Amino acid sequence: MAELKNKIVWQLLLSGSQVLLPLITWPYITRVLGPVNLGKVNYIDFLSQVFMIVASFGIPFYATREIAYVRGDTLKRGVLVKELILLQGIFALIAAGLFALVSYKSWAEQPILCLFGLCNILVGSFTYEWYVQGMEHFKFAAVRTVFARVLMLVCFFMLVNTSDDYDIYYAIFTFGMIVTAFINAIKIVKENSFEASKVQLKKHLIPLWHFFLTSSAITIYVYFDTIMLQFITKDALQVGLYTTALKMVKIFLTVIIALSTVLLPRMSYLANENKREEIKTFLSKYFDLVITAGLPVCVGLFLLSPEIIDVIAGSMFSPAVPLMRVLSFLPLIIALSNMFCFQVLVPFKQEKKFLTAVIAGCMVSLSLNFIMIPLYAAQGAAFASTVTEIVVTVLTGVMAYKIIPWKMNKKLVAQCMAATILFIPLVLLCRYIFSSSLSILSASIVAAILLYFFIQYYIFKNAVLLEAKRYVQKLIKR
């Protein structure tokens, strides 16, 4: 358990860097590039993300689980890694060709952006994150990611100086991906022996096919809203506003999802050993943590949307405020669906059930986007995205509970809701006292954190916070 907690800490540090970089760079980038140029970049980026799913062909999910199974067997692990790398190369070339074919019109308008989008597909296929996660090298991942992101941070401020530098802005992300891939490749070569032996690629194709169908369906409702928004409205401004609001909301999701990344290999091992009671205990604690951390974040995003947009993105992005409010509860919704899918369905090899839920979400997303975007543009896309995630969360939650009926702490949920309701008068008071968005945002965040911690720790005796305190005390004693 202590080892698992250490891994969680390293993963939280990793996710913290993923939150910190955008928070540092976005106030600068949004003001330099503006919503239109950011819309151009984000459209190509989202399009390339679709084909990165094709390139991965379900390997990240499948490989993380399979690496966890053979982590202690050097011989089997080496063969598995070699087979997966070969498959990854084949799928990456296919995906790159499809991207070039589908985006041919965009190449005429934004050739440099499309070139880097193509590079991201190829390079992104060989970052080998599945190996790092399956081997539970979370300390290595944290140090590596912080290093790469610091380099990116320096590049952003040195090289992106005018609104015409949006090509350079996108190129820096490609550079960061190359650095990550190179460091991970060194790690794989050091830890594995790739002896000449017969490879068996076919045995991976059927399970990969199920994961690929699932990830493809996820891609449709995660990325197609942006693609459809551009296709229907043909307005880069709408795309820029929507993707900015969406990215700001999902920044805070990374911290919560970090725990899922740590637990997936462990859950896969426990599921393989059929240790259901231990899994049930993990799930109950994970649910409590998601609610305790996720609910105040979402309420804060909803209440402070005007100040967050103004401070981070600037006044040019003020129309994104209502979009952010519609999307504000996504961190909690997605964190719960992530728990149901990757802590229960995937470890217990229930990919078909996972796929069923995702296809349902895909159908809801496409239907709502086709109806709502022509009427309400970006706001319609935001509404469709939120409803879709709710549908997927409910379906996967029901499926997961039938497999592992974990304990749902209703008392804790009620206590978290009661504590977050007090954020409303607190934010109104801060707006009454302060005038600038930065002052209101800073004061509200600090006051809300202190108030929430005081109520949860001293009044409600929240189990998550008490456990966190015990862990910190152990670290200090060391």
Side-chain angles (χ1 to χ4, degrees), residues 366-424:
L366 290 175
S367 301
L368 286 178
N369 276 306
F370 272 118
I371 295 170
M372 302 298 290
I373 289 177
L375 296 174
Y376 303 106
Q379 191 132 12
F383 175 80
S385 181
T386 302
V387 173
T388 299
E389 293 292 355
I390 291 172
V391 169
V392 173
T393 300
V394 171
L395 290 176
T396 53
V398 172
M399 293 173 181
Y401 194 79
K402 288 180 179 179
I403 299 171
I404 298 290
W406 71 91
K407 182 181 178 182
M408 188 179 300
N409 194 336
K410 296 179 182 178
K411 181 180 178 181
L412 181 138
V413 175
Q415 290 172 345
C416 290
M417 292 176 67
T420 53
I421 287 174
L422 296 177
F423 290 178
I424 299 174

Side-chain angles (χ1 to χ4, degrees), residues 144-161:
R144 175 215 64 200
T145 301
V146 169
F147 171 72
R149 290 184 181 277
V150 168
L151 287 180
M152 291 172 65
L153 183 68
V154 173
C155 290
F156 282 136
F157 287 108
M158 288 183 62
L159 302 177
V160 181
N161 301 309

Side-chain angles (χ1 to χ4, degrees), residues 45 64 155 176 215 223 282 315 372:
D45 183 50
T64 299
C155 290
S215 57
Y223 295 115
F282 269 119
S315 57
M372 302 298 290

Side-chain angles (χ1 to χ4, degrees), residues 5-301:
K5 289 178 180 178
N6 290 335
K7 290 173 181 176
I8 289 175
V9 169
W10 282 111
Q11 188 64 16
L12 288 174
L13 289 174
L14 170 61
S15 299
S17 72
Q18 293 173 325
V19 172
L20 192 60
L21 178 67
L23 291 180
I24 293 173
T25 57
W26 270 38
Y28 176 73
I29 293 298
T30 51
R31 286 164 174 80
V32 172
L33 299 184
V36 174
N37 286 334
L38 270 179
K40 294 175 183 177
V41 173
N42 289 338
Y43 171 69
I44 297 298
D45 183 50
F46 275 55
L47 189 61
S48 68
Q49 293 285 346
V50 171
F51 289 94
M52 286 178 74
I53 299 298
V54 177
S56 68
F57 204 78
I59 288 176
F61 298 146
Y62 172 75
T64 299
R65 186 184 71 186
E66 296 303 309
I67 290 291
Y69 288 161
V70 299
R71 186 168 57 220
D73 191 323
T74 307
L75 183 62
K76 288 183 178 180
R77 190 181 71 230
V79 173
L80 176 63
V81 169
K82 182 169 65 174
E83 291 172 346
L84 291 173
I85 290 174
L86 288 173
L87 284 170
Q88 187 79 85
I90 295 169
F91 297 135
L93 291 174
I94 294 171
L98 290 174
F99 172 79
L101 185 65
V102 171
S103 61
Y104 72 96
K105 288 186 178 179
S106 298
W107 282 87
E109 299 171 359
Q110 300 292 339
I112 298 177
L113 287 180
C114 289
L115 178 62
F116 285 118
L118 183 65
C119 290
N120 288 346
I121 294 170
L122 293 171
V123 176
S125 301
F126 296 99
T127 54
Y128 309 115
E129 282 300 299
W130 44 265
Y131 178 81
V132 175
Q133 292 172 10
M135 293 297 291
E136 299 188 23
H137 291 324
F138 297 110
K139 179 179 179 180
F140 165 81
V143 174
R144 175 215 64 200
T145 301
V146 169
F147 171 72
R149 290 184 181 277
V150 168
L151 287 180
M152 291 172 65
L153 183 68
V154 173
C155 290
F156 282 136
F157 287 108
M158 288 183 62
L159 302 177
V160 181
N161 301 309
T162 69
S163 60
D164 294 328
D165 291 336
Y166 59 89
D167 291 331
I168 298 174
Y169 166 71
Y170 195 36
I172 293 171
F173 284 99
T174 305
F175 167 72
M177 208 175 288
I178 291 171
V179 171
T180 300
F182 179 73
I183 296 174
N184 285 355
I186 294 174
K187 184 78 170 174
I188 286 182
V189 171
K190 282 185 176 180
E191 293 186 352
N192 295 277
S193 176
F194 300 108
E195 298 176 359
S197 60
K198 185 179 179 181
V199 294
Q200 297 178 344
L201 302 183
K202 288 184 178 180
K203 67 179 182 180
H204 301 295
L205 293 179
I206 292 177
L208 279 176
W209 176 248
H210 290 131
F211 279 111
F212 171 66
L213 290 177
T214 303
S215 57
S216 297
I218 292 173
T219 300
I220 290 176
Y221 74 76
V222 170
Y223 295 115
F224 267 55
D225 49 0
T226 302
I227 295 170
M228 289 172 67
L229 184 61
Q230 171 66 29
F231 179 76
I232 294 172
T233 65
K234 293 180 172 57
D235 188 347
L237 176 61
Q238 288 292 314
V239 175
L241 294 172
Y242 175 67
T243 52
T244 297
L246 189 63
K247 284 187 175 183
M248 284 188 188
V249 168
K250 289 190 174 181
I251 282 173
F252 299 95
L253 175 65
T254 57
V255 177
I256 303 173
I257 293 297
L259 303 173
S260 178
T261 305
V262 175
L263 293 177
L264 176 56
R266 185 61 56 94
M267 288 296 191
S268 297
Y269 170 77
L270 293 175
N272 194 46
E273 298 292 319
N274 200 31
K275 296 182 178 181
R276 288 178 171 266
E277 288 303 315
E278 197 169 340
I279 291 175
K280 191 182 295 185
T281 301
F282 269 119
L283 288 175
S284 298
K285 290 183 177 181
Y286 186 38
F287 178 82
D288 291 350
L289 180 57
V290 167
I291 296 298
T292 301
L295 192 58
V297 167
C298 295
V299 173
L301 287 172

Side-chain angles (χ1 to χ4, degrees), residues 65 210-211 214 345-346 349-355:
R65 186 184 71 186
H210 290 131
F211 279 111
T214 303
L345 299 182
V346 171
K349 299 185 178 181
Q350 299 295 313
E351 290 88 1
K352 290 183 180 179
K353 291 182 178 180
F354 185 11
L355 176 60

Side-chain angles (χ1 to χ4, degrees), residues 304 423 426-427 430 434 438-454:
L304 293 167
F423 290 178
L426 189 65
V427 171
C430 289
F434 302 103
L438 181 59
S439 299
I440 295 170
L441 183 62
S442 303
S444 297
I445 290 174
V446 172
I449 290 173
L450 293 175
L451 176 64
Y452 188 75
F453 179 82
F454 177 82

